[in-house]
Amino acid sequence: MDLKSVDFIVDKYQEKRTALISILHDVQDRYRYLPEEALRMIASRLRMDINEIYGVATFYKSFSLVPKGRHSITLCMGTACHVRGGPKILRELKSFLCIEPGQTTSDKQFSLNVVNCLGVCAIGPVMMVDQKFYGEMTPIKARRIIEKINNKRSGVKS
Ligand code: FES
């Protein structure tokens, strides 16, 4: 694994331990997860115990120690979205992507997660793909959004 980016990121924050969370965010943005080799390098550069680094990396839900997909799909299963059909959408996504929440497709294109509220209950059921909200979701709409992203990647016009 090429760790030059990790060096560059740590340099950017001048090896400051107080910048650990920002460093981890930047590393995750670069690799789409926190590779073990990167965490070891950060520990060495910041002269910190590797367990301390792991402690921070596992404490925050936004960090992942396993590779994430290129596109992040987050489905809300909070009460407002649940009663309006969230479970049906989840079934469709699981069957279409062949993964469970918390997993990534084998082609590393999509990661699926569920949360308890995305803060936009009025437009539920809600799905978020790469920071963009999609409201009044249905199973068919959810599948079409994923297909559209897939088609864009493969150059198929939709
Ligand atoms: S319960 Fe789904 S956005 Fe709040």
Side-chain angles (χ1 to χ4, degrees):
M1 168 173 282
D2 178 8
L3 294 174
K4 277 190 205 125
S5 301
V6 179
D7 255 336
F8 178 79
I9 290 164
V10 176
D11 285 346
K12 179 175 134 190
Y13 292 98
Q14 300 163 346
E15 297 186 334
K16 286 188 181 149
R17 290 181 191 186
T18 51
L20 177 61
I21 291 177
S22 301
I23 291 170
L24 294 178
H25 274 297
D26 284 10
V27 169
Q28 179 157 290
D29 284 349
R30 166 67 181 80
Y31 297 96
R32 297 208 302 265
Y33 78 113
L34 296 174
E36 185 184 338
E37 301 95 306
L39 295 183
R40 290 194 179 285
M41 180 179 250
I42 293 167
S44 155
R45 293 277 321 267
L46 300 186
R47 292 167 302 284
M48 288 177 74
D49 189 306
I50 184 71
N51 292 324
E52 252 181 282
I53 308 272
Y54 268 107
V56 173
T58 53
F59 180 79
Y60 293 100
K61 236 184 156 187
S62 57
F63 294 129
S64 175
L65 298 176
V66 293
K68 292 275 190 187
R70 181 172 297 276
H71 302 285
S72 156
I73 302 167
T74 306
L75 183 68
C76 181
M77 292 295 279
T79 308
C81 292
H82 192 280
V83 298
R84 294 183 194 146
K88 284 185 192 161
I89 300 164
L90 181 58
R91 261 197 305 279
E92 178 69 18
L93 289 172
K94 288 193 324 184
S95 126
F96 186 58
L97 297 168
C98 299
I99 54 173
E100 293 291 321
Q103 296 181 335
T104 296
T105 53
S106 55
D107 63 2
K108 303 277 185 274
Q109 286 303 307
F110 297 99
S111 291
L112 176 63
N113 285 298
V114 295
V115 294
N116 288 328
C117 186
L118 285 167
V120 285
C121 315
I123 60 166
V126 185
M127 179 171 90
M128 185 169 77
V129 182
D130 299 334
Q131 310 301 321
K132 182 174 176 187
F133 290 107
Y134 295 89
E136 296 170 9
M137 197 46 48
T138 65
I140 193 79
K141 278 192 204 172
R143 179 190 275 253
R144 285 197 182 127
I145 289 165
I146 309 302
E147 282 174 340
K148 202 171 170 186
I149 294 169
N150 251 337
N151 290 344
K152 254 189 208 162
R153 178 171 64 102
S154 54
V156 175
K157 288 194 177 170
S158 52

